[in-house]
Amino acid sequence: VNAQPINRIAETLAFNDVNISKQVMAGWCIKIAERYLVQVYNEMHKQLLKSKLIHCDETPFKVTNDGRDGNSKSYMWVYHTDRQYGSPPIYLYEYQPTRKTENPREFLKGYNGILLTDGYQVYHTLKKENPDKLTVAGCWVHAKRKYAEIIKAVGEKKALGTIAYEGNQKISAITHVNNMVKGKSGKVVL
């Protein structure tokens, strides 16, 4: 109801006549992270780079008062491991003002394994730069989303029998089987 935690705290404080802005509290959170949590983050980053598979994605958002045009996008890059490949669950977020190749290039420096991505070109650029070290794999959820958009645009009845419809059905089946075997021992080959 009250949006993000900092919003809730600011509104609760304001209700009690204590006026501390969300921006000030966000600044405090950043300072705490920089001062006390950076060592934990760095250790988690080292462990993440040892993983056989890393999921990679980036999400745009707007940052106000950062000295750029008010319509400028910034990006939160997320990298995470998968227990299925024997890694501890690690989720790391990295703020960057751009969506350029240099961001994952620097973050993933020295990584040798599989990048599971949405197909964004920067990951393929990294693969070309490191052909013996990186494999880029596509994300089923992102592929299914594109098929679902096509089906929605033309209507389900018209979509019957199309490649989009068949692709959507097959990815749903793969996801269903994957969910059934999640957490089970042994290997399943589809």
Side-chain angles (χ1 to χ4, degrees):
V1 171
N2 292 325
Q4 300 298 317
I6 289 177
N7 293 43
R8 289 193 291 275
I9 294 167
E11 288 177 14
T12 301
L13 290 172
F15 183 74
N16 292 297
D17 295 324
V18 177
N19 295 308
I20 302 174
S21 74
K22 295 179 287 188
Q23 291 81 2
V24 167
M25 284 189 267
W28 291 346
C29 290
I30 291 167
K31 289 292 182 199
I32 289 168
E34 289 172 348
R35 188 171 293 163
Y36 301 107
L37 300 177
V38 72
Q39 292 87 357
V40 173
Y41 182 94
N42 290 341
E43 188 57 36
M44 290 173 72
H45 186 213
K46 286 180 196 172
Q47 293 303 313
L48 179 126
L49 293 176
K50 293 177 184 178
S51 177
K52 181 178 179 180
L53 180 135
I54 298 175
H55 294 255
C56 307
D57 204 0
E58 68 293 330
T59 302
F61 65 96
K62 290 184 182 179
V63 176
T64 57
N65 301 326
D66 70 346
R68 296 184 299 157
D69 177 0
N71 293 322
S72 297
K73 286 184 187 176
S74 292
Y75 293 86
M76 188 61 71
W77 295 74
V78 63
Y79 303 90
H80 72 91
T81 60
D82 194 319
R83 283 185 181 178
Q84 192 172 329
Y85 292 90
S87 300
I90 299 172
Y91 289 78
L92 294 179
Y93 295 84
E94 182 185 47
Y95 164 79
Q96 291 291 345
T98 69
R99 198 176 181 214
K100 293 181 179 177
T101 307
E102 65 198 37
N103 300 319
R105 180 185 291 128
E106 184 61 30
F107 189 89
L108 296 167
K109 188 184 290 182
Y111 179 64
N112 185 357
I114 302 166
L115 300 178
L116 184 60
T117 75
D118 60 2
Y120 182 41
Q121 185 57 43
V122 300
Y123 303 113
H124 296 283
T125 300
L126 295 178
K127 162 73 174 143
K128 286 177 187 171
E129 294 172 0
N130 302 285
D132 298 333
K133 293 184 177 185
L134 294 178
T135 300
V136 176
C139 171
W140 285 117
V141 173
H142 284 87
K144 186 177 189 312
R145 188 179 304 150
K146 295 298 180 189
Y147 290 139
E149 289 171 6
I150 294 167
I151 293 167
K152 185 177 179 181
V154 299
E156 187 135 0
K157 286 183 182 179
K158 283 186 176 180
L160 284 172
T162 64
I163 292 172
Y165 187 83
E166 289 178 30
N168 191 51
Q169 294 298 105
K170 287 181 181 182
I171 294 171
S172 291
I174 291 168
T175 304
H176 177 71
V177 170
N178 188 54
N179 289 336
M180 287 184 350
V181 299
K182 208 174 255 184
K184 305 241 191 290
S185 62
K187 300 218 180 227
V188 173
V189 179
L190 299 176

